[in-house]
Amino acid sequence: MVDLEEFGEGFRKDPHPVYAQLRARGPVHRVRLPGPGPRQEVWLIVGHEQARAALADPRLAKDESKIGFIPLDEELIGKHLLVADPPQHTRLRSLIARAFTARRVEELRPRIQQITDDLLDVMLAQDRADLIESFAYPLPITVICELLGVPELDRTEFRKISNDVVVPADPEIMHNAFARLADYLDGLIEDKQGAGPGSDLLSELIRTTAEDGDRLSPDELRGMAFVLLVAGHETTVNLITNAVHALLTHPEQLAALRADMTLLHGTVEEALRYEGPVETATYRYAAEPLEIAGVPIAQGEWVLVGLAAADRDADRFADPDRFDIRRDTRGHVAFGHGIHHCLGAPLARLEARIALRSLVERAPNLALDGPPQEWLPGVLMRGVRSLPVRW
């Protein structure tokens, strides 16, 4: 048993040395997770090959209700993609996937660019700012809220609720946040149902009917709205912030990008590999006894796939602790792998590319204005609460 709490604040700031130590001893470990509340013990996968295999292994299930456990999000929000297995997962994903095709996402490019430009107009009129507060947060929250049809006046309150859901200070705060979010989503859906057909994605989901007449139930609609709203912006905030932080702490890589914008795609992919926005995938459990890399895992035991750990595995990526925007990053698992591969990955990539290009071009003297302020607690999200910058 490895107690991750024993590594202290250093693990929160930089977990990669700990993951490297674990990988040196093997790709799978029994760990006790850090954080508030009861300390949970799980199996943690830190090897790249084993992580990709686990992410696509149907024996590692997501629907915890099958083992008599109803997670808080499912209890208060409803069934959604992150807590469903086939055939239910297949059905839910098919009802939403058409909204995230490459063509539909590309159609959002002009609006994403306009939002980006407007935010930078305000931010760059000053001398310095918190990148998250001024840019990395408002960009994706505006995009996803406009996409889903969330009123602008609700977005400040929604941010606090979302933060308490993803990185809660304690279990009671998380419970209250889920309850408030469920009430909010019910009201939002009710308003849209009463207002008649709209052009936003949530209105489209309310109307969507598959060829066989299938459509989302009220609970499923609430669950889908939850996943799209929370996962649709929290991860992109961290992607943009972590990418900027990596560039500013590796000036030779930033100079290379400035000199050749064809490296933009590689920059985003390397940022995903080097310091992706999600540290571990959401929980899986063993639906039957199995072995991973020779380690026996009993039926019903919890398994976490370490995305950040896998993407720093030297067996897959040479010199993995080096940030290199020219690297071949194919095979990274920042967005997962298999049937649960992030549905919104094309949108997140597009937002990150537009954000980075615009920021680099419009702020040629961009620099850190102090260290990042507090890395997020827990092992789900990888990011900071603020990133002071100047230009």
Side-chain angles (χ1 to χ4, degrees):
M1 171 67 64
V2 177
D3 188 348
L4 297 179
E5 189 80 51
E6 293 180 355
F7 294 97
E9 186 64 21
F11 179 75
R12 181 194 291 197
K13 291 181 178 178
D14 184 6
H16 300 293
V18 175
Y19 292 146
Q21 291 176 36
L22 293 178
R23 276 195 308 273
R25 291 158 49 186
V28 184
H29 297 272
R30 188 75 174 165
V31 301
R32 183 176 293 119
L33 298 177
R39 304 284 307 289
Q40 191 168 7
E41 295 180 4
V42 301
W43 291 103
L44 176 66
I45 301 175
V46 294
H48 181 272
E49 177 184 349
Q50 296 76 18
R52 276 181 69 91
L55 290 168
D57 192 334
R59 297 174 300 173
L60 292 175
K62 302 282 285 181
D63 187 350
E64 299 158 344
S65 64
K66 293 176 182 175
I67 56 172
F69 180 79
I70 306 296
L72 189 60
D73 52 346
E74 184 177 348
E75 177 187 346
L76 296 177
I77 300 292
K79 183 68 75 175
H80 55 79
L81 289 169
L82 298 180
V83 292
D85 297 317
Q88 187 177 32
H89 176 272
T90 308
R91 170 182 162 269
L92 291 174
R93 189 163 177 127
S94 67
L95 286 169
I96 184 64
R98 71 188 71 178
F100 289 93
T101 63
R103 180 184 62 81
R104 289 287 296 270
V105 169
E106 185 59 31
E107 288 173 355
L108 297 172
R109 179 185 291 274
R111 179 57 183 148
I112 295 172
Q113 186 66 63
Q114 181 184 1
I115 296 167
T116 299
D117 292 340
D118 291 346
L119 289 170
L120 288 178
D121 285 345
V122 174
M123 188 180 95
L124 297 178
Q126 309 166 64
D127 296 323
R128 49 177 42 88
D130 171 14
L131 185 82
I132 296 178
E133 191 70 29
S134 299
F135 187 58
Y137 169 76
L139 172 58
I141 192 65
T142 302
V143 170
I144 200 65
C145 283
E146 286 189 359
L147 184 63
L148 284 168
V150 175
E152 186 171 358
L153 289 175
D154 293 349
R155 294 174 195 172
T156 300
E157 176 63 12
F158 175 75
R159 179 186 185 182
K160 184 176 188 323
I161 297 175
S162 179
N163 286 342
D164 288 343
V165 163
V166 175
V167 282
D170 61 56
E172 184 178 355
I173 287 177
M174 182 169 67
H175 186 283
N176 290 339
F178 271 116
R180 288 161 57 207
L181 187 56
D183 288 343
Y184 173 76
L185 292 175
D186 280 340
L188 181 64
I189 292 167
E190 185 178 334
D191 288 346
K192 292 189 178 299
Q193 289 172 326
S199 59
D200 59 87
L201 177 56
L202 193 51
S203 295
E204 186 177 319
L205 288 175
I206 292 171
R207 296 191 303 269
T208 292
T209 304
E211 292 180 2
D212 61 358
D214 186 22
R215 63 191 309 161
L216 294 170
S217 70
D219 281 355
E220 291 170 342
L221 191 58
R222 189 196 309 116
M224 193 68 76
F226 159 71
V227 168
L228 293 174
L229 271 171
V230 175
H233 86 275
E234 289 283 0
T235 52
T236 311
V237 173
N238 291 340
L239 169 55
I240 294 170
T241 305
N242 293 354
V244 171
H245 182 249
L247 285 168
L248 294 182
T249 52
H250 297 82
E252 76 291 348
Q253 298 298 306
L254 177 56
L257 176 61
R258 289 191 192 283
D260 182 4
M261 276 293 170
T262 65
L263 295 172
L264 183 61
H265 172 79
T267 300
V268 172
E269 295 308 305
E270 175 66 345
L272 284 163
R273 182 206 69 84
Y274 179 79
E275 200 76 275
V278 182
E279 190 168 336
T280 63
T282 50
Y283 286 103
R284 286 162 167 78
Y285 70 90
E288 61 185 73
L290 71 152
E291 284 192 2
I292 300 177
V295 176
I297 297 175
Q299 184 174 356
E301 290 189 317
W302 301 103
V303 177
L304 280 182
V305 180
L307 306 181
D311 282 339
R312 295 278 190 112
D313 188 342
D315 287 342
R316 177 60 184 84
F317 300 103
D319 197 5
D321 294 325
R322 177 170 55 89
F323 180 68
D324 179 4
I325 63 176
R326 293 184 174 88
R327 180 194 298 276
D328 180 358
T329 58
R330 285 177 295 181
H332 77 67
V333 292
F335 285 123
H337 178 62
I339 64 169
H340 289 283
H341 182 271
C342 178
L343 191 67
L347 178 58
R349 284 182 162 110
L350 178 61
E351 290 182 63
R353 288 196 293 267
I354 291 174
L356 288 183
R357 179 172 196 138
S358 301
L359 184 62
V360 166
E361 289 181 342
R362 293 189 57 181
N365 296 316
L366 188 70
L368 290 175
D369 193 33
Q373 300 300 302
E374 188 188 355
W375 287 87
L376 298 176
V379 295
L380 175 60
M381 306 300 290
R382 182 70 185 146
V384 294
R385 295 201 186 276
S386 70
L387 187 69
V389 292
R390 56 182 169 79
W391 47 90

